[in-house]
Amino acid sequence: MSASNERPRDASADALLSDDPADMMVPGVVVEVDAAEAERLGAFEETALTEAEAWESNADLGDEASHGN
Amino acid sequence: MATDYVDEVASSIIKQLKEGTAPWQKPWEPGERFMPYNPTTGNEYRGMNAVWLMSRAQSRGFTDARWMTYRQSQEQDAQVRKGEKGTPIQFWKWQGLEPVKDASGKPVLDQEGQPVRQMVRYERPRVMGAVVFNAEQIEGLPPAPLRPVRPEWERHSQAETILTNSGVPIRHAPGDRAFYRLAEDAITLPERDQFPSGDRYYATALHELGHATGHPSRLARDMAHPFGSEGYAREELRAEIGSLMLGEQLGIGHDPGQHAAYVASWIKALENDPREIFRAAADAEKIVKLVRSYELGREQAPDQDQAIGTADPSLSAATEATQQQDTPDEAIRIPTMIRENSPAMQPPSLERTYLAVPYAEKDDAKQLGAKWDRAEKAWYVPAGVSLESFTPWLPAKGSVHIAVDANPAEQFAGAIREAGLQIDGTPLMDGQLHRVPVQGDKGRERSGAYAGHLDGRPAGYIQNHKTGMRQNWKASGQAAALGAQDRAQMAAEAAQKRHDRALEREQEAERTAQQVDAMWTAATPTQAHPYLADKGVQAHGVRQDEAGRLLVPVQDAEGRMWSVQKIGPNGFKQFQEGGQLEGGHFTIGDVQRPGPLLIAEGFATAATLHELTDMPAIAAFAAGNLLPVAQTYRVLYPERDIYLAGDDDRQRETELDGQGRPKVNVGRMKAEEAATAIGAQAVFPSFPTSTQGTDWNDLAQAIGRPQAAGQLQQALAIGQREQAAQGLAAARDDADLEHDRSPLRSIDRPTGRFDAISGRERAAVRELEHDQGR
């Protein structure tokens, strides 16, 4: 257990930040891409759920490989 | 895995294109709710997420347009069914909270010593994966709420306003051709009375207006391609997805039109570059945004509403944004985050002035003449172009720009000092453990330790023996591709989260089971209750609580009680909260006794079935629970005749659901599904004309017990003959396969408490049933 002080922060502040689009669907990872790459990937702003809700749900990524649920 | 994801999404769409079932290839009725939305926020999904979720709904057979996360379903007291797989979607972030740095690059702390964070817009947007489940994968959600269908005149007047304000001329000409001509920037349509309905007319007109948004004076899409070319097909794809989205938003539905000419090109385009469908969906979003902005009045310059830099999609933002651009108000602008090593931070050269352009404003910058430097991955103003209109993006002027601290050693030093360790200068990040003094150490005491490394993704470990604090630290703001170890660790953490969540759920189920045990013990056996009298059935061992409610146990096949159904004197039914319901049921009669077994939805129906036939009958409590219960008993009794005595929700077919579609006869559908899955027969009551009712209890009350018994016996006899005709052996061999293929059970469920029990345990079931006096 690491010591942590609860502080208001970005929902995904604890994410590992990657610069490789290949890491896009890895749980716990946020990928930073440049503007040209974002355009190639059809970036859009999602408003159907909040960032916190999206972040929380990423534990379900890669569920195929586990028997946890 | 992004490539995996992009590929998976694209190949699913390609498959549907070949079948003619891609979301925009199908017609959707006016007023029908077909675009996926999130019931918690009430908002529709956007861009590729919307297209992907529609595609998934099609391939999985979901008709409900609601998609939500696991946690969101829990917050509505609903539960994702065990074993259901979610659908991964993308979540793009164009802004976020980032720590504020002072002039020397140190984090600014608040009064409590915590880093101050500020909303910034990203020059480089960020994306993460999220997972949502369809409402049909979730147990316990209320039906989709009704959305009033707006009257025809209102939809049409809205569409008319859009067409008029767009300023694009429309000519009407007899014939069957509708098209937009780029050279003339004009739309040609057949005469209005040639369309089967007003909705169809406006759907077609708005589709052509979608093409018109590509004009150089508007969104300036790549349009100059001859009919039949691949470029033309790509444009058609954008317009068609845009039409689909607009059709939902304006309530005029979607008419897929003639696609045969494009399908082959679409497939080719997606096969060449799977990201093409993602770009098309993003362009479709822009088309919709611009078209909807025409409702406001005068023609808008493209994408000005993005300049406000918030995620607010509301149309009123567009006007504010316009004002904001006319009189730049730097106090309102959210700062743009750029890297310390960004070229925009360097003194401008004679040839190029680099800009700090938030992703949300890139189209504006581009339109004003900014160019993209592919090597530096940054926007710049070429020499000879006045900088005046680029002021908001010049880092020297404008609002505060935050550059992320690029030095992980300094970050680590800060974390070490925050933990009370005393170090001089920067820490040694050589992977070795270093012992250092902490605040309060005397003499040569060294109660602190740290270890850190700079290679790959800088990270470290800090320990203060005096305070007992241990901390894993990792560099923030450092973007680097994940190594195999990172990926494995992330996968393990996600698996742990799911495990904890499953455990939490089991613990809650266990707590509820204990509560209902106590309720059951405190309740009294009953013979007379208003509900029993109303339904004309006996008690069959159910009890009554102090509040006068009937308690019907919800048990597994071993007889363990996991919840109770509480039925008020007025017939109001409620399950004990938090209980495990899937596969839970209540048996009436001796299931051990040889002979047919009947499975029904409700308690009163099961009671009626047993009383009419003396056969054992099982109440599964809900249509959606018929299948797991049927599967449990099929495994227990592979050779037995089992009948699903379903409800016939026939009146539902004449009503519309919350999404504007005829309601599904859920009772009949679920009973038939369960029967097919286990190689059994479904039997339904047949009501005389103008008689209300759905189940066998209703029938017995409507036509009298002797006649209902006759009808039931006859239905069972027919069922038995059909079963024989189908060939018992074959049907049973298939049952296992069907189990796996069933849409409700696409994935093997882990062995749960309601799963089939072994022969050894059957004796225990019998004993328990004797205990319960049945």
Side-chain angles (χ1 to χ4, degrees), chain B residues 740-768:
Chain B
D740 289 341
R741 276 196 224 124
S742 153
L744 290 173
R745 285 282 169 279
S746 60
I747 307 290
D748 278 344
R749 297 193 311 155
T751 308
R753 58 177 67 96
F754 288 128
D755 287 2
I757 59 175
S758 70
R760 183 180 58 78
E761 288 158 322
R762 290 178 210 172
V765 175
R766 191 185 304 156
E767 270 177 35
L768 272 161

Side-chain angles (χ1 to χ4, degrees), chain A residues 3 7 10 17 21-23 31-34 40 44-48 51 53 57 59-60 63 66, chain B residues 1-2 38 41 43 46 49 72 92-93 114 117 125 127 131 279 339 377 457 470 482 487 498 501:
Chain A
R7 57 191 77 164
D10 218 24
L17 194 60
D23 294 330
V31 179
E32 185 185 77
V33 297
D34 67 65
R40 275 197 294 276
F44 58 95
E45 274 191 300
E46 184 53 87
T47 52
E51 181 187 348
E53 288 164 336
S57 77
D60 285 309
D63 188 21
S66 90
Chain B
M1 205 156 155
N38 187 301
T41 62
N43 294 340
R46 304 186 88 90
N49 285 348
Q72 286 178 325
W92 286 89
K93 267 175 77 138
Q114 304 302 331
R117 285 168 193 275
V127 61
V131 178
R279 286 192 291 273
R339 300 261 160 214
K377 297 188 192 313
R457 183 177 296 280
R470 287 186 201 181
L482 262 59
R487 277 171 178 253
R498 292 195 297 273
R501 200 168 69 183

Side-chain angles (χ1 to χ4, degrees), chain B residues 486-740:
Chain B
D486 291 326
R487 277 171 178 253
Q489 191 191 333
M490 290 292 111
E493 282 178 18
Q496 183 66 44
K497 271 190 213 161
R498 292 195 297 273
H499 176 79
D500 293 348
R501 200 168 69 183
L503 200 66
E504 204 177 289
R505 188 169 158 179
E506 272 175 30
Q507 285 166 344
E508 192 187 7
E510 187 60 44
R511 279 196 301 275
T512 309
Q514 287 171 13
Q515 278 170 12
V516 298
D517 272 343
M519 284 170 69
W520 185 253
T521 310
T524 47
T526 182
Q527 291 306 325
H529 184 273
Y531 181 75
L532 299 177
D534 185 40
K535 294 289 176 181
V537 295
Q538 293 155 34
H540 302 288
V542 300
R543 295 186 180 179
Q544 186 173 333
D545 72 2
E546 279 188 339
R549 295 173 300 190
L550 271 192
L551 301 184
V552 185
V554 180
Q555 294 164 301
D556 60 19
E558 299 170 56
R560 171 95 201 258
M561 203 187 301
W562 291 96
S563 184
V564 287
Q565 185 179 50
K566 296 175 273 193
I567 307 178
N570 56 359
F572 180 75
K573 295 173 183 170
Q574 197 181 17
F575 289 105
Q576 179 69 14
E577 213 172 282
Q580 171 85 23
L581 296 176
E582 192 178 340
H585 57 273
F586 180 67
T587 55
I588 299 172
D590 181 5
V591 288
Q592 297 289 302
R593 219 178 65 192
L597 186 60
L598 308 177
I599 301 176
E601 280 189 38
F603 163 75
T605 309
T608 306
L609 292 168
H610 174 68
E611 290 168 20
L612 292 181
T613 61
D614 204 31
M615 293 172 188
I618 297 172
F621 297 105
N625 199 35
L626 288 171
L627 179 66
V629 172
Q631 283 171 337
T632 299
Y633 281 89
R634 173 50 83 214
V635 178
L636 279 173
Y637 303 105
E639 299 300 320
R640 195 161 180 178
D641 282 346
I642 298 179
Y643 296 93
L644 276 299
D647 286 14
D648 188 1
D649 299 323
R650 57 213 163 106
Q651 86 291 352
R652 287 176 58 91
E653 289 163 336
T654 63
E655 298 164 5
L656 292 182
D657 68 8
Q659 305 177 26
R661 287 185 279 245
K663 285 183 181 171
V664 177
N665 185 337
V666 181
R668 184 173 271 275
M669 185 181 76
K670 295 291 181 189
E672 283 171 350
E673 268 175 18
T676 309
I678 66 158
Q681 298 296 319
V683 291
F684 301 96
S686 170
F687 290 88
T689 339
S690 77
T691 314
Q692 299 290 310
T694 59
D695 60 39
W696 288 96
N697 175 274
D698 296 333
L699 184 76
Q701 303 221 63
I703 64 172
R705 289 197 158 218
Q707 259 141 325
Q711 196 191 111
L712 179 58
Q713 291 294 359
Q714 204 177 1
L716 293 175
I718 294 169
Q720 195 177 22
R721 278 204 300 278
E722 280 184 17
Q723 186 75 9
Q726 284 168 15
L728 271 175
R732 279 172 195 152
D733 285 346
D734 286 348
D736 287 337
L737 280 171
E738 286 290 345
H739 175 135
D740 289 341

Side-chain angles (χ1 to χ4, degrees), chain A residues 2-4 18 22 27 37 42 44 49-50 53 55 58-59 62-64:
Chain A
S2 67
S4 75
S18 168
E37 181 69 12
F44 58 95
L49 67 176
T50 65
E53 288 164 336
W55 172 247
N58 81 26
D63 188 21
E64 296 77 8

Side-chain angles (χ1 to χ4, degrees), chain B residues 316-331:
Chain B
S316 60
T319 38
E320 285 171 43
T322 316
Q323 288 159 5
Q324 200 187 317
Q325 275 223 330
D326 293 344
T327 51
D329 183 350
E330 281 156 18

Side-chain angles (χ1 to χ4, degrees), chain B residues 32-149:
Chain B
E32 194 175 346
R33 186 144 205 184
F34 52 86
M35 291 303 287
Y37 73 101
N38 187 301
T40 302
T41 62
N43 294 340
E44 279 161 21
Y45 288 89
R46 304 186 88 90
M48 192 58 210
N49 285 348
V51 176
W52 173 226
L53 292 176
M54 277 188 93
S55 164
R56 282 281 277 199
Q58 163 72 26
S59 54
R60 296 284 311 271
F62 299 142
T63 54
D64 200 308
R66 295 173 295 170
W67 295 82
M68 66 206 301
T69 69
Y70 188 98
R71 178 61 59 90
Q72 286 178 325
S73 78
Q74 283 184 319
E75 280 161 4
Q76 296 209 7
D77 291 327
Q79 187 70 57
V80 172
R81 282 195 211 92
K82 247 186 201 170
E84 291 288 355
K85 298 294 173 205
T87 298
I89 58 171
Q90 298 171 299
F91 189 90
W92 286 89
K93 267 175 77 138
W94 295 8
Q95 56 186 22
L97 285 168
E98 296 291 333
V100 177
K101 303 281 160 64
D102 64 17
S104 60
K106 299 258 157 46
V108 176
L109 303 180
D110 64 12
Q111 286 170 335
E112 276 97 51
Q114 304 302 331
V116 175
R117 285 168 193 275
Q118 174 179 23
M119 185 58 78
V120 300
R121 289 191 291 173
Y122 297 135
E123 187 188 31
R124 298 171 166 218
R126 298 175 175 191
V127 61
M128 61 184 171
V131 178
V132 289
F133 294 84
N134 184 266
E136 291 177 28
Q137 299 177 284
I138 300 168
E139 201 63 65
L141 271 189
L146 280 171
R147 186 177 62 164
V149 177

